[in-house]
Amino acid sequence: MSGYLKIDHNSLIALGNYIRSHRINKNIGLREMATRIGISNAYLSNLESGKHSKANPLLLKKIAEELKIDHLTLFKIIGYTNQDISDIQNDLLNDNRKTTKKELKMEKMVNYMRKFSEEEFELVEKYLELIIKK
């Protein structure tokens, strides 16, 4: 399931707004972001404006990584079904060009930790400190 998937216009506008707001909140300019993810300024501008009728899941993953957000959030905004998400996850797991299994595990752990209470987070932090001292 690689390549581009057709998406309804309202979802593309929502996706673009979400990406733009996170990019701006991180003080990343449009040109800088485009350079970081390897696309043209015009393409990113059109993506953020909802002017594309299709989206590439691998590009969305790159964008999510750069903005330090969960790529599945971007997939959900544009209305991929659970089956679509499962297929996309498998494609992304098989795309070993830039993401290692270790990085995927770390991303999964970080997503778990986002749901932790302050106490749980402190316990994990202490545990990690013990591991590092060994």
Side-chain angles (χ1 to χ4, degrees):
M1 172 178 248
S2 60
Y4 292 82
L5 300 173
K6 191 166 176 71
I7 303 155
D8 76 86
H9 184 67
N10 289 333
S11 295
L12 284 170
I13 290 173
L15 174 70
N17 288 335
Y18 188 86
I19 291 170
R20 182 185 301 114
S21 69
H22 277 79
R23 178 180 58 75
I24 290 170
N25 286 339
K26 297 209 180 284
N27 294 318
I28 303 171
L30 181 87
R31 290 180 182 176
E32 180 184 353
M33 179 71 174
T35 301
R36 288 182 185 185
I37 60 175
I39 62 173
S40 72
N41 307 337
Y43 191 91
L44 180 57
S45 177
N46 287 338
L47 180 65
E48 289 184 353
S49 301
K51 293 181 182 175
H52 292 292
S53 62
K54 298 178 181 179
N56 182 316
L58 297 175
L59 174 61
L60 293 181
K61 185 170 187 303
K62 280 184 180 180
I63 291 170
E65 288 171 350
E66 196 60 45
L67 296 175
K68 297 184 180 9
I69 56 178
D70 183 5
H71 64 277
L72 292 179
T73 301
L74 299 181
F75 295 163
K76 289 175 186 175
I77 290 171
I78 53 179
Y80 291 155
T81 65
N82 287 338
Q83 182 61 46
D84 290 333
I85 290 172
S86 174
D87 290 345
I88 291 167
Q89 283 178 314
N90 288 334
D91 280 353
L92 294 173
L93 287 171
N94 294 327
D95 181 24
N96 292 325
R97 290 172 294 180
K98 293 195 176 186
T99 306
T100 65
K101 288 182 181 180
K102 183 178 178 180
E103 289 170 330
L104 290 170
K105 286 180 182 180
M106 288 172 50
E107 181 180 329
K108 188 175 181 180
M109 291 173 70
V110 168
N111 287 333
Y112 286 138
M113 290 173 53
R114 285 189 175 115
K115 298 173 186 172
F116 282 1
S117 68
E118 194 64 35
E119 286 180 356
E120 291 170 320
F121 192 80
E122 287 176 17
L123 286 172
V124 169
E125 189 175 31
K126 287 177 184 177
Y127 182 70
L128 291 172
E129 287 171 1
L130 286 173
I131 292 173
I132 292 169
K133 289 180 182 179
K134 285 186 175 179

